[in-house]
Amino acid sequence: MIENVSIYELLTLTTILFFIGLYGFLTRKNLLTMLLSIELLLNASVINFVVINKYLYPDVLQGVYFSIFIIAVAAAETALAISIIINLYRLKTSVDVAETETMKY
Amino acid sequence: MNFSYTIFILIIPIATFLLLGFFYNRIKPAVSGWIGVTALSVVAGLSYYTAYQYFFNVGKIDGKFQTFFGFQANWMNFTENLRIDMGILLDPISIMMLVVVSTISLMAHIYSRGYMKGDRGYTKFFAFLSLFTFAMMGLVVATNLFQIYIFWELVGVSSYLLIGFYYEKPSAVAAAKKAFIVTRFADLGFLIGILLMGYYGGSFDFMELNNPEGPAIMNWASTSFMGLSVITWALILMFVGGAGKSAMLPFHIWLPDAMEGPTPVSALIHAATMVVAGVYLVARMFPMFHFVEDGFALHVVAWVGAISSLFAAFIALTQKDIKRVLAFSTMSQIGYMMLALGVSKYDGHEGLGYMASMWHLFTHAMFKALLFLGAGSVIHAVHSNYLKDMGGLRKYMPITNITFLIAALSISGFPLTAGFFSKDEILVAAFEHNKAIYFITLFVAGLTAFYMFRLYFGIFWGKKKEYEHTPHESPWSMTIPLLFLAFMSIATGYLPFSEWVTADHKALHGHIGLFSNLGVIHWDMAGIAITAGLLGIAIAWFFYKKPTDYPAKVSAAFGRLYKWAFNKFYFDEVYLFVTKQIIFKRISTPFAWFDKKVVDGTMDGIGNTTVSLSKVIKGTQSGRIQDYAFAFAGGVFVLVLIVIYMI
C-alpha cells in the first residue's frame, strides 16, 4: 500500500510496461534487444502480482512469493537465452533475428 | 511302474540338434557323426527298455494293455473341459512307433556316416536328422490333437530341410518347396478338423475323445452338416491331413520328388517314419473313426487307401529311376495300411485289420528302409539313379545284393519273411470285410512282387555292363545297417503282434503267428497271396533276369496305358494347370489388380493429398520468430475482445 497511489495508476503503469515490451519484441531485429523486451514483459507481470496481492488481499503473501519465483526463473532463462545467442553469434557472426530462419519447414 | 524317464527320449535328440546346430562350424565331421550315433543309441536303448517294460512286465492288467503317461503338463486352458496339454502317452501303438522310429533313425545315422562322408554339410545333416527324430518322437507320444499337430508341422519342417539339403541343386529346392506346400495345404484340412473336433467334440484329448462310452463318441448324431455328422466331417478333414503326410491320393505328388534328398533321408523320413504319420493318426483316432456314424469316415480311409495302393503300383511298374520306384512302392504299401485300418472293426477278432495295419507298418519300416539304404549303396557305387546305368552288380556288391534280395522278398510277401505275415493279415482282414478291396489288394500284391523284382534283376542281374570305375562294396558303416535291417526284415514277422497291438488293447487270434501260441495258420488264404507274389516274381524273372525284348513288347502292347502310368497319370500336369492357369491367372491376377489399384490406390491417394495440401500451406511457417509472436499476440487480442464484448 503506497499513500496517495491507487491500484489503477499502478496497473496502468504495468500495462504500459507490458506493451512497450511486446512492441520491442515484435519490432527489434537484434536478439539481445528482444531479450531485454522479454524481461520487460516479465517485469510487468511481476509488478502485477505484487500490486494485486497488496491491494486486494493484503493479509496473504502468495503473490509476493510468486514474484520471487518468477525473478529466479527469469534469471535462469536469461542465462540460457544468452548462451544460445552467443552460440548463434559464433555460427553466423551476427545476432540478427533474420539469421535464425534456417529451421523453417 | 514309473515311465517318467521316457522324457529323455525327447530331450536327447533336441539337445543333440541344438549342440550340432549351434556349434556346427566348430565340431569336426568325424566327431559330429559319433555324437549323432551315440545320442541315437541312447534313445534307441531307452525305447527298447520302455517296450520291454511295457509289453512284458507292467503293461497288461486283466488281459488288457493299459495307457500310461510318462509326463503330463497342463499348458493352455480355454474352458473348463477344453485345454491343450503336453505329455507323453504310452500305449501299444505309441511304444511300437518309438521302437520303429528309434531303430530306423539309428540305422540311418550309422549309414550316413559312410554315405555322407566328405559332404560339406555333414554336421548340419546330422543336426537335421536329430531334429527330425525329436519331432517324430514327439508326434508319436502326443497326448492330444494339438500336440500331434505341433509335432506334425515340425516333422514337415525337418522333411523340408532334408529334402532341400543339396540346396545348390534347383530340382532339390523345387522338391523341398513342393513337399512343404502340398503337405501344408493338406494340413489346413487337419487344422480345421481339429478345431471342429474341439468345438463339437468338446475335447482335444485322445483319452477323452477315444473313450467308446465318452460324450464325443456317444453324441455324434447331435450335429449335422450336409447329411453327415460334424464329427464325421472333422474326422474326414483330419484324414485329409493324414493323406497329405502319407502321400495318399490326391496329395501324393510330393513324395516322388522328395527323393531329391540324400538317400538315408528317403529311408528314414520318406519310407519308414514320417510318411506313416497319417496311418498313425488314423490308428490313434481309431475308436472315433469306427464308432462315429457307423464308421463312415473309415470307409473313406479304406477306399482312398485301396485306390492309392493300386494307382501307385501301376506307376511303380514304369519308372526308370530306382528311388522313384521305391517311392511309389512306399505309397502303395501305405495304401495297404490305410485300407487295413479302413476295413477293421473294434472289438476282438473283428479288429484284425487294425492289428494287421500296425504290423505292416512295423515290418514295412524295416524292409523299405532296407530297400532305400540298399539303393543308396548302389547309387553310391555307380553314381547314378537310373536303371539303365546298372546291371550285373551282384558280382561287385555281394552284401548289398543279398540284403536287397531279402527286402524284395519280404515286400513281395515271400513265405516266412516278415512282409508275408503282415501282408497276409491285411489280406485276411480285407477278405472278411470288403471283397472288392480284397481283390484290389491281391492284385497289388502281384504287381508289387513284379516291380520289386524288375528292380532287383535290373540292378543286380540283367545286362553285362562295362563300368568306367569298377563298382565296389560300400564301407562297413553302410553295410552293417543293411545286415541288421535284413535280419529285422525277417525277424519282425515272428513277433506275436496280435497279442500286443490291437484296437481294443486285448489279445486276438491272428492268422499267421508261427511262434505265437494264439496263431492258427490258414494256408488257404496264405496260398492265394503266395501264388500272387510268386507269379509276379516269376514274370519279373522271365522278363529281366537276362536282357530280353519282352518288356518293350509288353509296354508297346499297353500303349497309351503305359504312357499314362509312365507320366504318373499326369497328376503333376493337372496340378500345374489348376494352379498356374486357373488359380494364378484367372483368380489371383484380378485380386492382385484390385489390391494394387483399389486398396493401395486409396491409401496412396490419402497420403498424396496430404502431401500436396501441406505444400500449399507450408509458406505460413515463415521461420521468423516475430511473425509467430505477432500471430500469438494478435490471437490473444482477438480473444480478449471476444471475451469482453461478446459474452
Side-chain angles (χ1 to χ4, degrees):
Chain A
M1 263 308 193
I2 305 168
E3 293 291 321
N4 302 325
V5 181
S6 72
I7 187 172
Y8 300 107
E9 290 161 2
L10 288 169
L11 287 184
T12 311
L13 172 74
T14 58
T15 311
I16 291 167
L17 206 56
F18 182 86
F19 279 101
I20 290 171
L22 188 62
Y23 178 78
F25 187 77
L26 291 178
T27 54
R28 292 284 136 179
K29 294 291 175 210
N30 189 314
L31 280 169
L32 287 168
T33 332
M34 284 168 71
L35 188 61
L36 290 179
S37 312
I38 292 172
E39 292 307 316
L40 283 184
L41 290 173
L42 279 168
N43 286 343
S45 63
V46 168
I47 296 169
N48 257 6
F49 270 112
V50 176
V51 167
I52 289 167
N53 184 307
K54 279 283 172 195
Y55 276 80
L56 300 186
Y57 307 98
D59 48 347
V60 294
L61 289 172
Q62 276 99 326
V64 178
Y65 283 139
F66 216 89
S67 63
I68 291 169
F69 270 122
I70 292 174
I71 290 166
V73 172
E77 171 243 304
T78 307
L80 195 65
I82 286 184
S83 69
I84 291 172
I85 291 167
I86 288 170
N87 270 314
L88 192 75
Y89 179 77
R90 283 186 183 152
L91 203 65
K92 304 268 185 189
T93 58
S94 153
V95 288
D96 196 330
V97 70
E99 296 291 336
T100 61
E101 284 174 25
T102 48
M103 281 177 71
K104 63 184 174 183
Y105 309 145
Chain B
M1 178 64 199
N2 187 357
F3 279 109
S4 56
Y5 63 86
T6 46
I7 189 78
F8 285 101
I9 294 177
L10 292 180
I11 290 175
I12 293 171
I14 189 74
T16 315
F17 164 65
L18 293 175
L19 177 73
L20 295 178
F22 278 129
F23 300 105
Y24 91 100
N25 279 330
R26 311 236 177 97
I27 299 177
K28 287 201 186 98
V31 182
S32 62
W34 276 115
I35 292 175
V37 172
T38 314
L40 246 295
S41 308
V42 176
V43 171
L46 283 174
S47 303
Y48 296 158
Y49 180 68
T50 312
Y52 171 76
Q53 286 291 342
Y54 185 81
F55 286 120
F56 292 104
N57 286 349
V58 296
K60 209 166 207 172
I61 296 170
D62 300 334
K64 186 174 177 185
F65 279 108
Q66 304 296 310
T67 304
F68 291 93
F69 292 94
F71 169 76
Q72 224 173 359
N74 202 334
W75 185 29
M76 284 195 268
N77 288 308
F78 294 116
T79 65
E80 200 89 336
N81 302 316
L82 200 60
R83 63 180 195 280
I84 298 180
D85 294 344
M86 280 285 169
I88 294 179
L89 184 151
L90 298 170
D91 70 349
I93 55 170
S94 72
I95 289 179
M96 179 207 74
M97 285 299 287
L98 285 183
V99 172
V100 171
V101 176
S102 59
T103 308
I104 306 293
S105 185
L106 178 62
M107 290 305 126
H109 272 77
I110 296 173
Y111 183 90
S112 303
R113 288 193 56 250
Y115 188 84
M116 299 301 287
K117 192 165 220 151
D119 196 283
R120 273 201 300 143
Y122 190 86
T123 306
K124 193 172 74 175
F125 182 76
F126 278 93
F128 287 166
L129 280 188
S130 293
L131 173 66
F132 170 75
T133 310
F134 162 71
M136 195 66 209
M137 292 291 195
L139 192 157
V140 299
V141 298
T143 60
N144 59 71
L145 283 168
F146 251 98
Q147 189 185 350
I148 210 170
Y149 184 68
I150 289 167
F151 284 100
W152 188 272
E153 294 304 329
L154 259 179
V155 289
V157 168
S158 36
S159 159
Y160 165 81
L161 290 171
L162 285 163
I163 296 170
F165 185 72
Y166 298 126
Y167 54 84
E168 283 148 354
K169 254 167 67 184
S171 61
V173 174
K177 276 194 289 195
K178 187 172 175 183
F180 194 70
I181 292 167
V182 172
T183 51
R184 253 332 315 216
F185 187 71
D187 290 347
L188 177 65
F190 188 13
L191 181 61
I192 296 170
I194 290 175
L195 296 177
L196 284 178
M197 189 62 85
Y199 192 79
Y200 291 99
S203 175
F204 294 126
D205 197 87
F206 288 136
M207 298 301 290
E208 286 168 31
L209 286 175
N210 287 331
N211 181 0
E213 279 91 41
I217 287 181
M218 300 306 273
N219 299 335
W220 62 264
S222 61
T223 52
S224 86
F225 176 73
M226 285 172 58
L228 291 172
S229 162
V230 174
I231 300 285
T232 303
W233 280 111
L235 289 170
I236 290 173
L237 282 166
M238 283 162 60
F239 174 64
V240 166
K245 267 282 181 287
S246 289
M248 293 288 99
L249 278 175
F251 299 110
H252 65 284
I253 52 162
W254 64 272
L255 187 60
D257 288 24
M259 297 302 135
E260 292 288 343
T263 305
V265 170
S266 311
L268 172 61
I269 301 182
H270 306 119
T273 55
M274 188 191 82
V275 287
V276 297
V279 181
Y280 181 76
L281 178 68
V282 177
R284 176 52 80 206
M285 295 295 287
F286 188 75
M288 287 218 87
F289 271 95
H290 177 252
F291 286 112
V292 171
E293 203 143 9
D294 303 325
F296 181 89
L298 212 51
H299 285 297
V300 176
V301 173
W303 278 105
V304 168
I307 292 167
S308 300
S309 92
L310 183 64
F311 172 88
F314 271 128
I315 299 176
L317 293 175
T318 60
Q319 295 301 301
K320 293 182 169 153
D321 177 333
I322 58 173
K323 282 181 78 181
R324 289 193 181 223
V325 175
L326 293 177
F328 282 108
S329 152
T330 306
M331 177 181 163
S332 173
Q333 297 297 311
I334 293 170
Y336 262 38
M337 300 171 206
M338 287 289 189
L339 72 86
L341 279 176
V343 298
S344 180
K345 300 277 183 280
Y346 185 70
D347 294 304
H349 183 262
E350 298 287 289
L352 181 68
Y354 182 93
M355 189 280 286
S357 169
M358 290 297 107
W359 198 5
H360 199 60
L361 192 161
F362 193 75
T363 58
H364 171 260
M366 300 302 161
F367 58 68
K368 186 52 66 66
L370 174 54
L371 284 169
F372 267 107
L373 294 183
S377 176
V378 170
I379 292 167
H380 196 67
V382 302
H383 303 290
S384 167
N385 279 8
Y386 290 94
L387 265 179
K388 65 178 162 50
D389 300 323
M390 299 165 187
L393 284 170
R394 71 182 184 284
K395 274 178 286 183
Y396 305 107
M397 312 180 76
I399 298 177
T400 311
N401 174 26
I402 294 293
T403 52
F404 200 93
L405 175 63
I406 290 171
L409 287 172
S410 194
I411 193 175
S412 311
F414 194 80
L416 307 184
T417 56
F420 164 70
F421 296 114
S422 55
K423 191 179 280 188
D424 203 69
E425 298 284 16
I426 290 181
L427 285 166
V428 172
F431 184 78
E432 284 175 355
H433 296 288
N434 193 330
K435 292 286 188 299
I437 286 181
Y438 170 72
F439 286 112
I440 292 176
T441 318
L442 195 61
F443 182 53
V444 171
L447 290 180
T448 308
F450 175 73
Y451 67 69
M452 281 323 299
F453 275 85
R454 165 176 173 260
L455 206 59
Y456 172 72
F457 288 126
I459 296 172
F460 295 102
W461 297 68
K463 57 194 178 293
K464 288 239 165 34
K465 207 171 154 49
E466 295 303 317
Y467 292 100
E468 265 179 52
H469 309 283
T470 315
H472 52 84
E473 184 57 90
S474 303
W476 279 111
S477 57
M478 287 165 74
T479 49
I480 286 174
L482 294 181
L483 290 168
F484 179 78
L485 286 171
F487 168 72
M488 293 296 270
S489 300
I490 294 173
T492 49
Y494 299 95
L495 294 172
F497 232 75
S498 60
E499 291 175 30
W500 289 348
V501 181
T502 51
D504 56 357
H505 296 191
K506 290 176 194 151
L508 62 81
H509 290 268
H511 286 79
I512 279 207
L514 273 194
F515 293 115
S516 159
N517 50 6
L518 296 174
V520 189
I521 305 180
H522 289 245
W523 284 106
D524 48 345
M525 291 302 297
I528 298 170
I530 293 169
T531 314
L534 288 181
L535 204 63
I537 297 175
I539 296 172
W541 169 283
F542 196 56
F543 275 25
Y544 297 104
K545 179 157 177 289
K546 287 192 183 123
T548 57
D549 55 353
Y550 293 122
K553 274 187 195 159
V554 172
S555 50
F558 279 104
R560 181 161 294 171
L561 191 64
Y562 176 82
K563 202 171 154 231
W564 280 17
F566 181 71
N567 290 309
K568 303 161 202 162
F569 295 94
Y570 298 100
F571 255 83
D572 282 295
E573 282 74 8
V574 169
Y575 269 98
L576 279 182
F577 178 78
V578 170
T579 49
K580 287 209 168 134
Q581 295 296 320
I582 297 178
I583 296 179
F584 290 172
K585 210 177 235 173
R586 303 265 177 270
I587 300 173
S588 302
T589 315
F591 271 101
W593 179 88
F594 182 82
D595 184 55
K596 268 189 203 135
K597 300 287 173 188
V598 181
V599 179
D600 287 5
T602 311
M603 289 302 146
D604 287 352
I606 292 171
N608 289 337
T609 313
T610 313
V611 168
S612 44
L613 193 68
S614 68
K615 269 185 188 145
V616 175
I617 61 170
K618 75 178 177 185
T620 55
Q621 301 286 321
S622 65
R624 282 189 290 272
I625 191 163
Q626 284 161 326
D627 286 3
Y628 302 149
F630 184 75
F632 171 70
V636 171
F637 187 67
V638 171
L639 277 179
V640 167
L641 285 184
I642 289 171
V643 168
I644 293 172
Y645 292 105
M646 299 283 175
I647 300 171

